[in-house]
Amino acid sequence: MEEIIKFIKNADKAAIIPHIKADGDAIGSCLAMRAALERMGVPAVIYVEEPVEKRLQFLDENIAVIYKGEPTDCDTCIVLDCGDLTRVNLRRPILDAARCVVNIDHHKTNTFFGDANHVEPEISSTGEILFKLFGEMGVGLDKEIAKFLYASICSDTGCFAYSNTSPQTFRAAAELIGYGIDHADIARQLFDCEDLESELLKAELTRRIHSYYNNRVRIVAISEEETEKYGMKPEDIQDLVNLPRRIRGTEIAVALKQYDGKIRGSFRSNGSADVAAVAQVFGGGGHTKAAGCTIDAADLDSAEKMVAEACGRVLI
Ligand code: 5GP
Ligand code: MN
């Protein structure tokens, strides 16, 4: 960690970058990093590419700037929870303009694209890595930073339910709760607070889950028109993969989401199948039990066929 600490401490102004379509871990980590830098007297700006998901907006009034290609004067760029440069996407000029790029992540497919890299795939979340990092850096925690870190960890562990939750994860969470944060509210905002339209859409999509390999693989797919019909935005259907994931017997759950003319795949493994390997077939990546990719296919049906075949190959 020494190298990244040196780079972070030398920053005059920092750009903080989460992966595209940032999730709770990515946004919580960015907010915690920004708050920590501000406590150290270093100004910092979080740059995203698209509006932050509605369910994360309770975290802060002013989360991020939507980057439109404008020049930045940030000498240090801290990329959080982002496995490779395709996930930095259009914000690449911010990295190019910076004197140094710091890459802090927990994806096992991380490509070490930074000038300094800290990647720990066995840690639950980037938030949990930052919890350790702040301890080593001597950044004192407070209620605000604790809230951001707790939200990160809670988000990537499915509220401490997934197998990536370790004794250290619980120790970090216990310490964070000690700062007086409203952890029940954080859990509810992240996992238990849906718009009615979204629930209606999910009800319809549940009827259309397709099953393969004796129900071991279940796939749900949604077109751009359907998303629009229900007044939803792509960021509102981020967790669609949970529909097939929750059904008894599912070993690999897949959601195929068409938006901006692209097809995005989300994969979850309930058993021992490695879905990062499936995502990598299509140029994506992630973790053994949660991964994603962009699929180059003419339409949703052909994407589903290719994905079902790739899933079949990793079933054990
Ligand atoms: P989700 O399905 O929630 O979008 O993503 C699941 C996990 O896989 C997350 O940890 C996410 O960062 C990672 N992931 C999603 N899409 C991609 C991708 O296109 N490339 C890589 N390398 N990782 C991805
Ligand atoms: Mn993460």
Side-chain angles (χ1 to χ4, degrees):
M1 275 195 181
E2 279 122 61
E3 203 188 6
I4 57 166
I5 292 176
K6 194 178 78 200
F7 277 114
I8 295 170
K9 286 198 165 162
N10 280 337
D12 293 321
K13 183 171 179 190
I16 305 176
I17 296 198
H19 63 74
I20 41 169
K21 301 268 181 293
D23 59 7
D25 182 28
I27 289 295
S29 300
C30 287
L31 288 168
M33 181 58 84
R34 184 176 70 186
L37 288 168
E38 279 168 1
R39 309 287 188 271
M40 293 159 56
V42 179
V45 183
I46 300 171
Y47 287 106
V48 292
E49 258 171 60
E50 62 286 287
V52 171
E53 228 187 314
K54 205 187 294 172
R55 78 174 70 240
L56 300 176
Q57 285 175 5
F58 77 98
L59 285 170
D60 200 85
E61 277 172 19
N62 164 26
I63 295 185
V65 170
I66 299 184
Y67 182 67
K68 299 265 195 300
E70 65 275 21
T72 73
D73 56 351
C74 297
D75 63 297
T76 301
C77 182
I78 304 174
V79 186
L80 296 176
D81 199 38
C82 179
D84 61 69
L85 288 173
T86 64
R87 314 259 294 150
V88 167
N89 205 32
L90 302 175
R91 292 160 297 167
R92 189 65 186 272
I94 306 174
L95 278 69
D96 294 340
R99 196 176 57 222
C100 65
V101 173
V102 177
N103 162 22
I104 305 175
D105 186 32
H106 69 132
H107 292 97
K108 69 173 183 178
T109 51
N110 191 288
T111 56
F112 287 72
F113 54 83
D115 298 307
N117 302 281
H118 185 86
V119 180
E120 289 192 83
E122 62 291 346
I123 304 257
S124 70
S125 51
T126 302
E128 190 182 331
I129 298 178
L130 293 191
F131 174 82
K132 285 201 304 176
L133 175 72
F134 293 167
E136 289 201 17
M137 281 174 73
V139 173
L141 298 187
D142 53 34
K143 190 172 173 182
E144 190 184 38
I145 297 180
K147 175 171 112 171
F148 298 149
L149 291 178
Y150 188 88
S152 294
I153 299 171
C154 189
S155 180
D156 258 20
T157 57
C159 217
F160 309 97
Y162 300 153
S163 59
N164 58 359
T165 308
S166 71
Q168 294 97 283
T169 315
F170 278 117
R171 276 185 212 109
E175 189 176 327
L176 294 170
I177 285 178
Y179 286 91
I181 58 173
D182 188 345
H183 60 86
D185 183 59
I186 294 173
R188 198 182 71 83
Q189 300 273 7
L190 292 177
F191 292 103
D192 251 343
C193 194
E194 304 293 341
D195 288 331
L196 180 61
E197 294 73 27
S198 155
E199 290 302 276
L200 292 171
L201 173 60
K202 285 181 200 160
E204 186 166 318
L205 290 172
T206 303
R207 282 189 217 102
R208 284 193 351 213
I209 292 173
H210 292 163
S211 297
Y212 298 86
Y213 306 102
N214 245 337
N215 298 329
R216 296 172 74 192
V217 176
R218 287 193 167 103
I219 303 182
V220 64
I222 183 167
S223 68
E224 205 145 21
E225 299 83 66
E226 283 168 310
T227 311
E228 275 168 23
K229 183 180 130 195
Y230 279 86
M232 310 292 289
K233 301 207 175 63
E235 61 268 24
D236 299 325
I237 52 162
Q238 292 247 63
D239 63 344
L240 212 59
V241 70
N242 286 332
L243 292 184
R245 184 184 66 79
R246 306 174 67 221
I247 296 173
R248 185 167 285 126
T250 300
E251 287 175 44
I252 299 179
V254 183
L256 299 176
K257 297 169 273 189
Q258 186 188 45
Y259 54 77
D260 300 340
K262 292 187 201 136
I263 299 172
R264 287 278 311 158
S266 274
F267 304 90
R268 299 291 183 271
S269 170
N270 285 335
S272 43
D274 180 358
V275 288
V278 180
Q280 278 180 311
V281 170
F282 302 97
H287 313 284
T288 306
K289 289 175 178 284
C293 63
T294 302
I295 297 159
D296 191 13
D299 52 42
L300 274 174
D301 284 345
S302 45
E304 179 164 336
K305 192 161 172 281
M306 290 194 288
V307 162
E309 275 169 19
C311 288
R313 286 198 288 273
V314 300
L315 284 175
I316 296 156

